[in-house]
């Protein structure tokens, strides 16, 4: 039976047209979408569906009212419209190699020397672990819950310092352990405590996937966390999870989803008794991010003002949940700067991000790298090329120290914004240093 036609492919005549090539090189997606509509008969609604964008966003891009800069979105466009990666400055996409050209692995040759026994050969298998777990004493007490909460706090600290990629197996293993404990009959306080811990572990797992830009898995774990918190009517924690999902939606360039999720988070927080001002301040800042991604200046400024008002109401004796303690004054300041930066208000953003970066803890490698690249972007927007490159160069050390695809994405975005200045000495020095410490981050560049 013959293979069905690959209807998703763009016409070769379009992909080889100099106008299309130049539009892709410049990442002029308004022009790209117009050409695809005219030459391939793929209309904006279909473009939106293929690229996981909203139709209104595609219409804004075609009208020149919106630019698409996030690497995640550019990758979705490449994959959804079958634009070869090199045309958009990306690495080769997985679908570009036909399956018929795949290499068939050869049968392994017989070893000439005795095989080395794997290091874990002496460990019991998973089935034996399950049997031993059934036979184990599973009586719980409050100190057990305290120990689990302590391990979660340690996981978050290590996530800030090193990223969640290597941490995730331990977190998932503990999540499964706690969920297994929930299958047994427990007194109400113990059962609720286990639900709370499982919700926190599920959120942390979702966060590690989000930081790795594996958004489908992140959403699945965030949803699981939401359900676990709802089972014990923990509205503040539900608000926390919804706020995480809102932040992820801003990264996916889905500002409408981001705003809906953070609004739901605020509803949950306001409906809960004893919600602290720090929680409300954090949620107001997430709302500011959503409005800024939508390009709504007045709503962004209103949400920023609300965040600062709520933060000013914080008292020393407030019963803040452990998961919101991170939202301190430097975090409020840097997030305010980022919200202004998302609006293109670089003059307002730069001093705020710079001030917060000076006060940030040295061990928070991901935060320092993330915020330094934001500072470099605002400096570049203000025409301060040398300062921007110097700031970005300082960010490379913490970026190397942490495993975070989210940080890597911000690095690539800054690198792409240097395109017009490639021959300037500051840009040359930065690129040289970048190739030295993180060569993979520039491997997909159109001008290596």
């Amino acid at each position: 039976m013959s293979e069905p036609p690959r209807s998703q492919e763009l016409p070769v005549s379009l992909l080889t047209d100099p106008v299309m090539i130049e539009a892709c090189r410049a990442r002029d997606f308004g022009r790209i979408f117009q050409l695809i509509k005219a030459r391939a008969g793929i209309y904006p609604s279909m473009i939106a569906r293929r690229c996981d964008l909203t139709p209104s966003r595609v219409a804004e891009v075609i009208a020149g009212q919106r630019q698409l800069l996030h690497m995640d979105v550019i990758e979705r466009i490449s994959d959804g419209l079958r634009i070869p990666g090199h045309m958009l400055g990306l690495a080769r996409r997985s679908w570009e190699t036909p399956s018929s050209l795949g290499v068939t692995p050869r049968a392994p040759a017989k070893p000439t020397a005795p095989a080395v026994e794997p290091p874990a050969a002496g460990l019991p298998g998973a089935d034996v672990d399950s049997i031993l777990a059934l036979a184990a004493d599973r009586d719980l007490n409050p100190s057990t819950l305290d120990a689990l909460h302590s391990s979660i706090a340690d996981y978050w600290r290590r996530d800030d310092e090193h990223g969640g990629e290597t941490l995730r197996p331990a977190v998932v293993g503990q999540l499964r352990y706690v969920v297994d404990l929930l299958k047994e009959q427990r007194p109400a306080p113990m059962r609720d405590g286990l639900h709370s811990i499982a919700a926190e572990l599920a959120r942390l797992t979702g966060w590690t996937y989000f930081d790795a830009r594996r958004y489908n898995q992140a959403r699945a774990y965030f949803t699981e966390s939401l359900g676990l918190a709802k089972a014990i009517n923990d509205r503040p924690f539900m608000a926390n999870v919804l706020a995480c999902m809102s932040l992820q939606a801003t990264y996916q360039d889905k500002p409408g989803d981001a705003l809906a999720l953070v609004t739901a988070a605020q509803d949950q927080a306001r409906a809960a008794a004893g919600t602290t001002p720090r929680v409300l301040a954090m949620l107001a800042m997430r709302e500011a991010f959503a409005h800024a991604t939508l390009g709504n200046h007045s709503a962004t400024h209103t949400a920023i003002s609300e965040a600062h008002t709520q933060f000013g109401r914080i008292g020393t004796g407030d019963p803040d949940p452990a998961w919101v303690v991170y939202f301190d004054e430097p975090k409020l300041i840097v997030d305010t700067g980022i919200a202004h930066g998302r609006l293109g208000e670089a003059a307002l953003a730069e001093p705020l991000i710079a001030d917060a970066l000076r006060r940030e803890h040295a061990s928070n490698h991901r935060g320092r790298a993330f915020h330094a690249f934001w500072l470099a972007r605002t400096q570049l927007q203000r025409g301060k090329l040398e300062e921007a490159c110097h700031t970005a160069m300082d960010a490379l050390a913490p970026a190397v120290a942490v495993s975070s695809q989210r940080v890597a994405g911000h690095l690539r975005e800054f690198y792409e914004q240097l395109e017009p200045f490639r021959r300037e000495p500051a840009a040359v020095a930065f690129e040289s240093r970048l190739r030295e410490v993180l060569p993979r981050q520039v491997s997909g560049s159109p001008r290596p």
Side-chain angles (χ1 to χ4, degrees):
M1 185 171 65
S2 62
E3 184 179 347
R6 300 176 69 187
S7 57
Q8 297 225 356
E9 304 295 334
L10 295 176
V12 175
S13 59
L14 174 58
L15 293 175
T16 56
D17 188 315
V19 177
M20 180 66 168
I21 292 172
E22 174 58 25
C24 290
R25 190 200 68 78
R27 290 183 175 170
D28 182 352
F29 291 105
R31 184 66 177 143
I32 291 170
F33 291 166
Q34 289 173 338
L35 289 167
I36 287 174
K37 175 185 174 183
R39 301 277 296 277
I42 301 175
Y43 286 83
S45 60
M46 195 180 301
I47 292 174
R49 203 158 48 245
R50 287 193 184 187
C51 303
D52 197 16
L53 297 168
T54 61
S56 60
R57 180 53 49 88
V58 173
E60 289 174 353
V61 172
I62 293 175
Q65 299 170 351
R66 172 76 61 175
Q67 288 184 316
L68 299 178
L69 301 175
H70 284 286
M71 291 299 297
D72 301 322
V73 179
I74 295 169
E75 289 171 351
R76 292 208 307 264
I77 291 171
S78 173
D79 296 336
L81 298 177
R82 290 298 194 262
I83 300 174
H86 73 274
M87 294 183 69
L88 292 170
L90 303 173
R92 186 179 182 87
R93 313 307 294 163
S94 60
W95 49 264
E96 291 186 58
T97 302
S99 57
S100 59
L101 298 182
V103 178
T104 303
R106 297 180 180 179
K110 293 182 179 179
T112 55
V116 178
E117 186 175 350
L123 296 177
D127 56 337
V128 175
D129 276 341
S130 300
I131 294 170
L132 295 175
L134 287 173
D137 182 6
R138 296 161 71 90
D139 287 338
L140 302 181
N141 55 58
S143 65
T144 307
L145 300 187
D146 290 341
L148 289 168
H149 279 298
S150 178
S151 68
I152 292 171
D154 186 57
Y155 287 148
W156 279 112
R157 179 186 58 78
R158 291 160 60 191
D159 176 67
D160 285 338
E161 294 180 6
H162 309 294
E165 196 64 34
T166 57
L167 195 65
R168 191 184 305 121
V171 179
V172 171
Q174 196 160 66
L175 171 61
R176 289 174 178 165
Y177 168 73
V178 174
V179 169
D180 194 45
L181 292 177
L182 279 168
K183 296 176 182 176
E184 301 178 14
Q185 291 294 327
R186 307 279 179 190
M190 190 64 63
R191 185 185 66 247
D192 290 352
L194 288 173
H195 263 101
S196 176
I197 290 168
E200 291 191 64
L201 289 167
R203 183 179 77 98
L204 175 52
T205 306
W207 180 265
T208 65
Y209 277 119
F210 164 51
D211 196 51
R213 301 198 310 165
R214 295 167 64 179
Y215 296 136
N216 288 337
Q217 294 96 325
R219 189 182 184 93
Y221 278 97
F222 285 148
T223 303
E224 180 69 16
S225 177
L226 198 62
L228 287 162
K230 186 176 182 179
I232 54 174
N233 198 32
D234 188 345
R235 289 180 177 273
F237 195 81
M238 292 171 66
N240 183 26
V241 178
L242 288 165
C244 289
M245 298 176 82
S246 173
L247 184 63
Q248 176 174 313
T250 64
Y251 271 82
Q252 292 182 276
D253 200 31
K254 297 179 177 179
D257 290 0
L259 185 57
L261 287 164
V262 76
T263 300
Q266 290 169 323
D267 289 343
Q268 291 292 334
R270 294 187 185 110
T275 298
T276 63
R278 193 184 303 270
V279 171
L280 296 174
M282 181 272 287
L283 295 175
M285 192 55 70
R286 293 288 170 85
E287 181 189 355
F289 284 173
H291 286 304
T293 309
L294 282 164
N296 191 329
H297 286 248
S298 62
T300 303
H301 292 166
T302 299
I304 289 173
S305 177
E306 174 66 12
H308 283 257
T309 298
Q310 291 292 347
F311 196 88
R313 294 172 179 162
I314 292 174
T316 54
D318 287 348
D320 285 320
W323 46 261
V324 79
V325 173
Y326 81 96
F327 197 78
D328 55 11
E329 188 177 19
K331 181 60 174 170
L332 172 73
I333 292 171
V334 77
D335 280 359
T336 302
I338 290 173
H340 284 300
R342 288 183 182 276
L343 286 175
E345 299 171 343
L348 292 172
E350 183 189 353
L352 293 169
I353 300 175
D355 177 48
L357 193 56
R358 283 191 293 269
R359 299 161 63 182
E360 198 154 26
H361 200 282
S363 65
N364 185 0
H365 297 306
R366 180 177 50 215
R368 291 189 64 79
F370 176 72
H371 298 146
F373 284 126
W374 258 110
L375 177 59
R377 289 171 65 176
T378 60
Q379 290 169 334
L380 190 62
Q381 288 172 9
R382 301 191 70 190
K384 300 179 179 180
L385 175 62
E386 290 192 13
E387 286 186 45
C389 291
H390 179 74
T391 300
M393 207 172 302
D394 287 344
L396 292 179
V400 170
V402 69
S403 175
S404 169
Q405 284 301 313
R406 196 160 53 104
V407 168
H410 282 277
L411 167 57
R412 286 194 295 271
E413 287 172 10
F414 175 76
Y415 179 74
E416 292 297 332
Q417 289 169 346
L418 282 181
E419 177 66 27
F421 313 103
R422 284 282 188 257
R423 297 175 183 240
E424 298 293 332
V428 171
F430 169 71
E431 185 168 342
S432 175
R433 179 62 178 157
L434 175 59
R435 290 185 178 283
E436 181 182 340
V437 299
L438 287 169
R440 292 181 61 188
Q441 300 305 332
V442 292
S443 62
S445 169
R447 294 185 181 179

